[in-house]
Amino acid sequence: MTRVAAGGLQVDAAAAFASENPLLVAGVVVALLALLGAGVWLRRYLSRTPGERLHRMLTDYDRIAVLMHPNPDPDAMASALAVNQLVAGTDTSASLLYPGEIRRPENRAFQTVLDLDFDHIETVNDINGEAVVLVDHNTARGFPGAEEVEPVAVIDHHPGNGSGTEFTDIRSDYGACATIFASYFNQLEFEFSDTGESIDIDAAPAETIPCALATGLMYGIQSDTRSLTNGCESEDFAAAAFLYDGMDSDLLNRIANPQVDAEVLDVKSRAIGEREVRAPYAFSDVGEVSNTDAIPQAADELETLEGVSAVVVVGEKKGTMRIAGRSRDDRVHIGRAIEAVVDDIPMAEGGGHARMGGGKVPVEHMAGLGPSNGVSREDFRERVFDAMSGEL
Ligand SMILES: [Mn+2]
């Protein structure tokens, strides 16, 4: 009984306090409500998906510049289109930019079949102070002034230290950047639409995934993972399953299997016919070519030969010998091997990555112009084999 009486006393005291200090009580109530509101907002903010955060961040800008890496491949191009689609129908306009060239047949087919019109940049000045979004790479490269670029957002699947000032999503275990964008669209609940076969970059309908974009993202995943056989995660399969509902398989077929230039087949056949194999290494000289792209493609072909794990193919155009190397042998860093081969030839260049490398040698310098004594084609071939077996 005394307890109840005491409780009654407290309530009375509280009521008396409130009637004497109405402003203070109102203030406390407002503060509590504000705190609750902030808590709810924070909870919502923290539970937002990366796709939602990127979408909201991008729409704060009037103009964004989506930058692909030099010589963009289908994964980079599809990813740039995905950013454009994220801001479609909003007040944000996007320009899709690339340095270098779109040259390899599968990259050209991608661009032609989907009727894409990207903007080429020569230097950093062509970016023009817009907010930069990097896709499929995390540090701008390949054009004068690239080191000045400070992206606001970076979406990538390559390892590296690059980051965006406002948004960074690097998933280096994923097989393709397109996989990340497929997950954004999935989280944002964009609908698939079957508008047209090509992509109108300037007039994409909002909050949809046009059929051509779903197809492009699918091919981005396929081409970066050798059709889901290499370097991929379950997320890449999940993204492909998601995109399957919105893509067009005829369109995919046209992108994935472009008609091949007759000279490319011819050069490949010469590379095979002229090959010299000293297992597990191979070398081939395809002679004069008019399309230098055929040389790396011939190297790709020769690398698939059973028993061959590293290969160098050379060919010549307009007085310059072009070198393309491929390796799937952990003992051969093909970029460094080519660098070593051309090391003391004046005006020659060579280098690249562990699995892919290339170079150029002016033929007149090979013949001994300038300070060197010259390198014969036979010497050159021997040096290539020495470099691949680590003896140079
Ligand atoms: Mn990629």
Side-chain angles (χ1 to χ4, degrees), residues 49-56 86 167 169 171 184 187-188:
T49 62
E52 287 172 312
R53 283 196 291 123
L54 178 63
H55 181 253
R56 191 168 301 196
L86 279 176
F167 180 91
D169 192 357
R171 309 188 195 181
Y184 292 169
Q187 289 161 350
L188 287 163

Side-chain angles (χ1 to χ4, degrees), residues 153-164:
V154 169
I155 302 97
D156 189 21
H157 70 120
H158 296 92
N161 301 320
S163 63

Side-chain angles (χ1 to χ4, degrees), residues 227-281:
S227 298
L228 293 167
T229 63
N230 189 36
C232 47
E233 279 274 309
S234 65
E235 279 81 358
D236 298 299
F237 285 85
F242 167 72
L243 294 167
Y244 179 78
D245 286 337
M247 68 155 210
D248 178 326
S249 29
D250 291 336
L251 203 55
L252 184 67
N253 190 16
R254 280 169 56 202
I255 301 169
N257 302 302
Q259 299 225 288
V260 182
D261 187 81
E263 195 198 359
V264 172
L265 287 184
D266 193 38
V267 169
K268 282 182 177 178
S269 109
R270 256 144 59 197
I272 292 162
E274 298 294 317
R275 75 186 183 277
E276 175 164 349
V277 177
R278 298 184 198 167
Y281 309 128

